[in-house]
Amino acid sequence: MRYAYFMEHTNESGMVIQNDGIRRLHDSVRAIQDNEEIGVKYMQAWEEKIMWEQEARAKGLEEGRAKGLEEGRAEGREEARKEVREEMLLDKVRRKLDRHLSVEQIADALEESPERIQELIRKLD
Protein backbone atom coordinates (compact mmCIF):
# COMPACT_ATOMS: atom_id res chain seq x y z
CA MET A 1 0.00 0.00 0.00
CA ARG A 2 2.83 2.39 0.84
CA TYR A 3 4.47 1.61 -2.49
CA ALA A 4 1.30 2.51 -4.39
CA TYR A 5 1.04 5.77 -2.42
CA PHE A 6 4.70 6.47 -3.15
CA MET A 7 4.17 5.84 -6.88
CA GLU A 8 1.18 8.17 -7.00
CA HIS A 9 2.70 10.99 -4.96
CA THR A 10 6.35 10.74 -5.92
CA ASN A 11 6.20 13.80 -8.15
CA GLU A 12 5.24 16.08 -5.30
CA SER A 13 7.78 18.79 -4.79
CA GLY A 14 9.42 19.33 -1.47
CA MET A 15 9.91 15.64 -0.69
CA VAL A 16 12.99 15.01 1.38
CA ILE A 17 14.36 11.52 0.78
CA GLN A 18 17.22 10.42 2.96
CA ASN A 19 17.56 6.78 1.91
CA ASP A 20 19.73 6.27 -1.20
CA GLY A 21 17.70 3.29 -2.44
CA ILE A 22 14.45 5.19 -2.10
CA ARG A 23 16.02 8.26 -3.74
CA ARG A 24 17.08 6.14 -6.77
CA LEU A 25 13.57 4.63 -6.91
CA HIS A 26 12.10 8.13 -6.67
CA ASP A 27 14.34 9.37 -9.48
CA SER A 28 13.38 6.38 -11.67
CA VAL A 29 9.67 6.92 -11.00
CA ARG A 30 9.98 10.64 -11.79
CA ALA A 31 11.83 9.86 -15.03
CA ILE A 32 9.10 7.42 -16.06
CA GLN A 33 6.32 9.85 -15.13
CA ASP A 34 8.00 12.64 -17.06
CA ASN A 35 8.65 10.51 -20.16
CA GLU A 36 5.74 11.05 -22.56
CA GLU A 37 6.65 8.05 -24.74
CA ILE A 38 6.46 5.70 -21.76
CA GLY A 39 3.12 7.23 -20.79
CA VAL A 40 1.75 6.61 -24.28
CA LYS A 41 3.02 3.01 -24.25
CA TYR A 42 1.47 2.48 -20.83
CA MET A 43 -1.88 3.79 -22.02
CA GLN A 44 -1.71 1.62 -25.16
CA ALA A 45 -0.91 -1.43 -23.04
CA TRP A 46 -3.78 -0.55 -20.71
CA GLU A 47 -6.18 -0.18 -23.64
CA GLU A 48 -4.99 -3.50 -25.11
CA LYS A 49 -5.52 -5.19 -21.75
CA ILE A 50 -9.08 -3.87 -21.57
CA MET A 51 -9.70 -4.94 -25.18
CA TRP A 52 -8.40 -8.48 -24.47
CA GLU A 53 -10.60 -8.71 -21.38
CA GLN A 54 -13.64 -7.60 -23.37
CA GLU A 55 -12.88 -10.08 -26.15
CA ALA A 56 -12.36 -12.88 -23.63
CA ARG A 57 -15.61 -11.99 -21.88
CA ALA A 58 -17.50 -11.93 -25.20
CA LYS A 59 -15.99 -15.28 -26.21
CA GLY A 60 -16.88 -16.78 -22.83
CA LEU A 61 -20.45 -15.53 -23.12
CA GLU A 62 -20.74 -16.92 -26.64
CA GLU A 63 -19.38 -20.32 -25.56
CA GLY A 64 -21.66 -20.33 -22.52
CA ARG A 65 -24.71 -19.53 -24.61
CA ALA A 66 -23.85 -22.23 -27.15
CA LYS A 67 -23.34 -24.81 -24.41
CA GLY A 68 -26.55 -23.75 -22.66
CA LEU A 69 -28.47 -23.97 -25.92
CA GLU A 70 -27.14 -27.47 -26.59
CA GLU A 71 -27.95 -28.59 -23.05
CA GLY A 72 -31.44 -27.12 -23.39
CA ARG A 73 -31.99 -28.97 -26.65
CA ALA A 74 -30.76 -32.22 -25.11
CA GLU A 75 -33.09 -31.75 -22.14
CA GLY A 76 -35.96 -30.98 -24.51
CA ARG A 77 -35.31 -34.13 -26.52
CA GLU A 78 -35.16 -36.23 -23.36
CA GLU A 79 -38.40 -34.67 -22.08
CA ALA A 80 -40.08 -35.42 -25.42
CA ARG A 81 -38.90 -39.05 -25.22
CA LYS A 82 -40.35 -39.37 -21.73
CA GLU A 83 -43.66 -37.95 -22.89
CA VAL A 84 -43.80 -40.38 -25.82
CA ARG A 85 -42.99 -43.34 -23.54
CA GLU A 86 -45.70 -42.17 -21.13
CA GLU A 87 -48.25 -41.90 -23.95
CA MET A 88 -47.36 -45.35 -25.24
CA LEU A 89 -47.69 -46.81 -21.75
CA LEU A 90 -51.05 -45.07 -21.26
CA ASP A 91 -52.24 -46.52 -24.54
CA LYS A 92 -51.18 -50.03 -23.49
CA VAL A 93 -52.92 -49.65 -20.13
CA ARG A 94 -56.09 -48.41 -21.87
CA ARG A 95 -56.12 -51.42 -24.21
CA LYS A 96 -55.60 -53.86 -21.34
CA LEU A 97 -58.37 -52.22 -19.34
CA ASP A 98 -60.64 -52.59 -22.38
CA ARG A 99 -59.89 -56.35 -22.17
CA HIS A 100 -60.98 -56.23 -18.49
CA LEU A 101 -57.59 -57.14 -17.03
CA SER A 102 -56.95 -56.38 -13.35
CA VAL A 103 -54.38 -53.85 -12.14
CA GLU A 104 -52.11 -56.70 -11.05
CA GLN A 105 -52.39 -58.44 -14.43
CA ILE A 106 -51.62 -55.20 -16.26
CA ALA A 107 -48.67 -54.51 -13.95
CA ASP A 108 -47.27 -58.00 -14.62
CA ALA A 109 -47.78 -57.72 -18.37
CA LEU A 110 -46.16 -54.27 -18.61
CA GLU A 111 -43.51 -54.93 -15.98
CA GLU A 112 -44.62 -51.96 -13.92
CA SER A 113 -45.63 -51.72 -10.28
CA PRO A 114 -49.34 -51.85 -9.41
CA GLU A 115 -48.95 -48.35 -7.94
CA ARG A 116 -47.63 -47.05 -11.28
CA ILE A 117 -50.54 -48.70 -13.11
CA GLN A 118 -53.01 -47.07 -10.66
CA GLU A 119 -51.35 -43.70 -11.35
CA LEU A 120 -51.72 -44.23 -15.10
CA ILE A 121 -55.36 -45.25 -14.73
CA ARG A 122 -56.04 -42.00 -12.82
CA LYS A 123 -54.53 -40.10 -15.75
CA LEU A 124 -56.86 -41.90 -18.14
CA ASP A 125 -59.96 -40.89 -16.17
Side-chain angles (χ1 to χ4, degrees):
M1 223 35 198
R2 289 181 180 167
Y3 179 75
Y5 179 83
F6 177 78
M7 292 297 287
E8 289 179 20
H9 299 90
T10 192
N11 62 355
E12 294 177 2
S13 58
M15 284 182 66
V16 177
I17 302 172
Q18 296 178 2
N19 183 297
D20 286 337
I22 293 177
R23 187 182 343 274
R24 283 194 302 271
L25 179 61
H26 173 73
D27 292 342
S28 296
V29 170
R30 292 285 308 259
I32 291 170
Q33 287 176 338
D34 292 342
N35 187 326
E36 208 172 297
E37 184 179 333
I38 291 175
V40 169
K41 286 182 181 180
Y42 176 79
M43 289 306 295
Q44 287 173 337
W46 183 260
E47 289 170 354
E48 286 177 13
K49 178 183 177 275
I50 290 172
M51 185 179 67
W52 290 335
E53 288 173 353
Q54 290 172 342
E55 287 175 1
R57 186 174 294 114
K59 184 178 179 184
L61 286 172
E62 182 180 327
E63 289 173 358
R65 286 186 185 118
K67 184 176 180 182
L69 186 59
E70 181 55 38
E71 288 175 1
R73 287 179 179 152
E75 287 177 17
R77 286 189 296 267
E78 182 59 31
E79 190 64 32
R81 285 185 197 110
K82 286 180 183 178
E83 289 176 11
V84 168
R85 283 192 294 266
E86 179 87 358
E87 286 298 319
M88 290 174 65
L89 191 55
L90 283 167
D91 186 53
K92 289 177 183 179
V93 169
R94 183 182 304 110
R95 284 187 275 133
K96 297 207 181 288
L97 286 172
D98 289 346
R99 292 181 24 215
H100 305 290
L101 295 177
S102 70
V103 170
E104 289 76 19
Q105 290 171 323
I106 297 171
D108 285 342
L110 299 179
E111 297 180 350
E112 295 285 342
S113 70
E115 293 81 16
R116 175 76 170 126
I117 299 302
Q118 288 286 6
E119 177 186 322
L120 293 169
I121 291 171
R122 282 192 292 276
K123 286 184 180 183
L124 289 172
D125 290 336

